[in-house]
């Protein structure tokens, strides 16, 4: 059985794994801290070491041979160009115009492809996860940022310069909160993990009494979205309000996608979806309130089933699609 | 040369024309008032009369024969189902679940197709107009309402239940103005013709002094978007402010489409685009401020070139695409 190595490169960690070309086997996943401060070449070197390690372990575990490894699919953040494999801008890595694909290819000695990380997560859920078999899919990854991917008529859609799917950077308030992208009122500025924590902090500043202060150890700057979800689950009024607002913002953004794309499935992934039903149920209700009925009637809005593996699996799937070898 | 008849059905007028299957000839266009109060069957009867008339005149003018007319493409507002040719909901016509396609087919004795009117305008501009030859196109029609259409990888995209492209009904202010669709904060609630007039009226109520009062004959309810554009062109401060806000709202909505779709062309059509550069220039500036640079760099945001004919031409083109006969 042939394999593809998937690499999921994030600002905090990178993960590497082997995925069989039918998607059925996903094995020997490893991950380590990205340590962006060490610079791009150092990161590439450690990615190559991990790739070699995963290949060796997969061979040991399955009896596969070196020749069974077709190549490496890389998922990376930010606007990028597939044609020359360059990461155009990745603030979380401190990169600008970095030729990641060719650097990794040179280091591992295998063909490589480069794909946007949120696209990878979407492709993975469509290939073997929650959106399997659907024709039109929107993936929304909600974590440190909010990314997105679009499967249209059964294929990943890239747009005219590989920017398509930047759902986190759609305006939901024209004069709204400042976003890291430079714009105002982006969905990401309201509903990413850090944005949820920030809104909770502001609410604490204004209102004071909440179990959130204690959860964050008395340091508002230590407050995370996870604290907010935990407190809301325990009945904290301020946290419940912050979660409800988060659902409202995400619901508005996703309703926009329903009215524009009319997909069969919206797959939610990323750390924030760990909040579970307390976020998902009001989010779905908000979408029903806002989107057109014929669009609501045909869509499922569901959490992804691949969890942390989505990035690696999708990077491998993107390699297969890009090189015409399947997926 | 074979022909297709295009029918563009709106709440105020309907138009009928003959279009050659290569798009090169568009002839004998006629239009009349829709008169929705007479009911659907009456409208269908008058459409059939006009179709017969256009066919007869085209035959007389070109020497074509009856057999050269392949069928009728109908463009109509509102959510609709292509599969059974039913208009699901058209408030401006007072229709719900009306089997328009088959009623027209029975009346004219030719095969018919049904397509959304904003999709038709987009297809027309892509077929022979401002977006000719582009791969990924967003069409935005700004008039009594705001509609949209998407050409993706060289084909009209319908979504999973024919709702795709409802760009006017995307939220740009989560707690914003009430929209006719029932939602709050839709782009249409800010930047359609009636919405522009309404914002100007509110501004007049609040500020008083403006040449707009005189333009509307002293009756604020008679104020139209055209009055606002005329007054702005003549230096009226209040009107200039309303136009600037309109550009800002449209710019935010279109920037969202750039970040989601990353098209090569955004084609603007509909009455509001008659405002010209005073609206288009600040709109383009707002898009540049808001959208991702690699998306801005590859896109042209341009007015359509087909004007009033886009609906009829696009309905004919949609017939060809739907029946597999071309376009």
């Amino acid at each position: 059985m042939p394999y593809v190595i998937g690499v999921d490169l994030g600002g905090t960690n990178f993960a590497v794994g082997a995925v069989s070309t039918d998607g059925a086997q996903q094995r020997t996943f490893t991950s380590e801290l990205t340590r962006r401060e060490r610079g791009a070449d150092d990161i590439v070197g450690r990615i190559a070491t991990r790739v070699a390690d995963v290949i060796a372990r997969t061979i040991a575990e399955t009896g596969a041979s070196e020749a069974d490894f077709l190549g490496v699919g890389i998922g990376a953040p930010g606007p990028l160009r597939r044609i020359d494999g360059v990461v155009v801008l990745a603030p979380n890595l401190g990169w600008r115009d970095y030729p990641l694909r060719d650097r990794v290819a040179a280091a591992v000695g295998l063909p490589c492809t480069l794909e946007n990380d949120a696209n990878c997560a979407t492709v993975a859920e469509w290939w073997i996860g929650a959106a399997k078999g659907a024709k039109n899919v929107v993936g929304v990854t909600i974590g440190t940022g909010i990314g997105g991917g679009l499967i249209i008529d059964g294929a990943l859609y890239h747009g005219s310069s590989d920017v398509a799917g930047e759902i986190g950077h759609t305006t939901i308030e024209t004069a709204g909160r400042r976003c890291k992208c430079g714009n105002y009122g982006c969905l990401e500025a309201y509903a990413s993990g850090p944005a949820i924590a920030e809104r909770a902090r502001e609410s604490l500043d204004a209102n004071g009494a909440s179990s959130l202060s204690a959860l964050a150890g008395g340091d508002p700057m230590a407050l995370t979205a996870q604290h907010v979800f935990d407190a809301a689950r325990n009945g904290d009024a301020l946290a419940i309000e912050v979660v409800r607002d988060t659902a409202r913002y995400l619901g508005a953004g996703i309703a926009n996608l329903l009215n524009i794309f009319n997909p069969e499935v919206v797959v939610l992934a990323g750390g924030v979806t760990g909040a579970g039903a307390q976020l998902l149920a009001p989010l779905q209700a908000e979408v029903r309130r806002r989107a057109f009925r014929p669009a609501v009637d045909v869509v499922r809005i569901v959490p992804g089933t691949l969890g942390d593996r989505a990035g690696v699996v999708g990077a491998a799937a993107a390699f297969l699609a890009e090189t015409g070898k399947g997926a």
Side-chain angles (χ1 to χ4, degrees), chain A:
Chain A
M1 170 69 70
Y3 285 87
V4 175
I5 304 298
V7 174
D8 179 17
L9 174 59
T12 308
N13 300 287
F14 70 85
V16 179
V19 183
S20 62
T21 54
D22 62 357
Q25 295 193 57
Q26 309 145 36
R27 45 177 68 243
T28 61
F29 277 56
T30 65
S31 73
E32 64 176 82
L33 292 174
T34 302
R35 300 191 190 281
R36 56 170 277 193
E37 69 282 2
R38 293 194 189 171
D41 293 345
D42 181 84
I43 294 171
V44 166
R46 288 181 288 119
I47 286 173
T49 302
R50 288 278 173 173
V51 168
D53 179 48
V54 165
I55 290 176
R57 283 166 57 186
T58 306
I59 288 173
E61 287 168 25
T62 67
S65 71
E66 287 272 356
D68 290 327
F69 293 83
L70 306 182
V72 180
I74 309 162
L80 48 78
R81 288 193 305 267
R82 283 178 303 146
I83 193 163
D84 57 1
V86 166
V87 175
V88 176
L89 187 67
N92 292 332
L93 291 164
W95 293 0
R96 186 183 283 269
D97 292 324
Y98 184 72
L100 179 62
R101 184 195 66 194
D102 291 350
R103 294 290 168 87
V104 173
V108 304
L110 283 170
C112 293
T113 59
L114 181 64
E115 183 58 83
N116 175 274
D117 52 3
N119 282 353
C120 288
T122 306
V123 167
E125 294 291 349
W126 167 68
W127 192 30
I128 59 169
K132 189 174 171 177
K135 205 173 148 197
N136 303 311
V137 179
V138 174
V140 186
T141 303
I142 313 159
T144 310
I146 297 185
L150 306 173
I151 306 287
I152 295 185
D153 284 338
L156 182 61
Y157 175 74
H158 289 96
S160 298
S161 58
D162 295 337
V163 188
E166 288 287 358
I167 290 159
H169 302 284
T170 53
T171 299
I172 57 165
E173 306 284 2
T174 60
R177 300 176 76 89
R178 174 90 181 175
C179 183
K180 278 184 291 183
C181 75
N183 191 8
Y184 290 85
C186 289
L187 179 58
E188 177 169 307
Y190 289 86
S192 68
I196 294 167
E198 193 176 319
R199 286 191 292 106
R201 258 195 306 277
E202 290 169 3
S203 194
L204 263 182
D205 285 350
N207 299 285
S210 161
S211 62
L212 275 174
S213 310
L215 277 173
D219 174 11
M221 292 313 291
L223 197 65
T224 66
Q226 192 55 55
H227 292 138
V228 175
F229 294 125
D230 291 346
R233 210 175 270 118
N234 290 324
D236 183 275
L238 187 151
I240 287 172
E241 186 72 18
V242 173
V243 174
R244 194 183 302 156
D245 286 346
T246 305
R248 205 160 51 81
Y249 294 126
L250 287 170
I254 291 171
N256 285 356
L257 297 170
L258 259 64
N259 281 356
I260 295 176
F261 270 112
N262 185 200
E264 294 156 73
V265 188
V266 175
V267 193
L268 307 177
V272 168
T273 59
Q278 65 174 326
L279 182 65
L280 188 60
L283 183 162
Q284 290 168 325
E286 183 75 10
V287 171
R288 279 194 298 274
R289 262 195 297 276
R290 288 191 177 269
F292 274 29
R293 185 63 183 278
V296 170
D297 285 348
V298 298
V299 78
R300 289 185 297 124
I301 302 174
V302 294
T305 57
L306 299 173
D308 284 350
R309 296 190 160 201
V312 166
V313 169
F319 175 92
L320 292 169
E322 190 85 357
T323 59
K325 296 195 165 103

